[in-house]
Amino acid sequence: MPRYLSLVKIDEADAPAEGPSPELMQRMGELIEEITKAGVMLDTAGLTPSAQGARVHWEGGKISVTDGPFTESKEVVGGYALMQCKDMAEALEWTKRFLKVHEEFWTVTCEVREIAEG
């Protein structure tokens, strides 16, 4: 079965400073448990804020490293989910359910892509 990577993108400027609410974390935990029991979830995690990260760039034969936060970006990757699904439609259904556990004030985008095998 194909594997899919869902990149969770958030606008850090709009996210609550205190992070996700306990209620959101509970709903998310319940959904992750369901996805895992269904044999779909292979791995998932949230990422630390971009201020604690760095970007490594290769251009013109030279490497540059930029420390976070990445102010030129509106959205940053806030987490990921690695899923094994029968097709893209199933991966999208699970991703929609993940987005719907968030409160309405969150702005979250997931980019879902099939992993190229072989």
Side-chain angles (χ1 to χ4, degrees):
M1 277 202 321
R3 295 181 302 154
Y4 296 87
L5 180 65
S6 178
L7 296 170
V8 181
K9 297 180 180 183
I10 62 168
D11 182 342
E12 288 183 315
D14 290 342
E18 65 278 3
S21 68
E23 295 82 14
L24 170 57
M25 294 306 293
Q26 180 177 343
R27 288 190 304 274
M28 196 176 303
E30 291 168 357
L31 179 60
I32 290 169
E33 184 177 339
E34 180 183 350
I35 298 171
T36 302
K37 285 181 179 177
V40 170
M41 185 68 72
L42 301 176
D43 190 25
T44 187
L47 302 176
T48 59
S50 68
Q52 298 172 21
R55 285 190 177 152
V56 182
H57 183 74
W58 172 260
E59 183 177 6
K62 296 184 181 182
I63 291 278
S64 63
V65 178
T66 305
D67 292 332
F70 311 120
T71 55
E72 69 280 0
S73 298
K74 180 168 173 50
E75 292 182 326
V76 298
V77 177
Y80 70 93
L82 179 61
M83 302 176 286
Q84 190 164 25
C85 302
K86 64 182 180 202
D87 55 25
M88 176 64 90
E90 182 184 13
L92 291 174
E93 284 306 312
W94 285 114
T95 301
K96 290 175 191 176
R97 288 190 58 195
F98 167 77
L99 289 174
K100 288 179 181 178
V101 301
H102 292 77
E103 292 94 354
E104 291 184 10
F105 58 83
W106 281 89
T107 301
V108 184
T109 302
C110 288
E111 180 178 334
V112 181
R113 300 189 40 202
E114 185 175 346
I115 296 175
E117 304 287 353

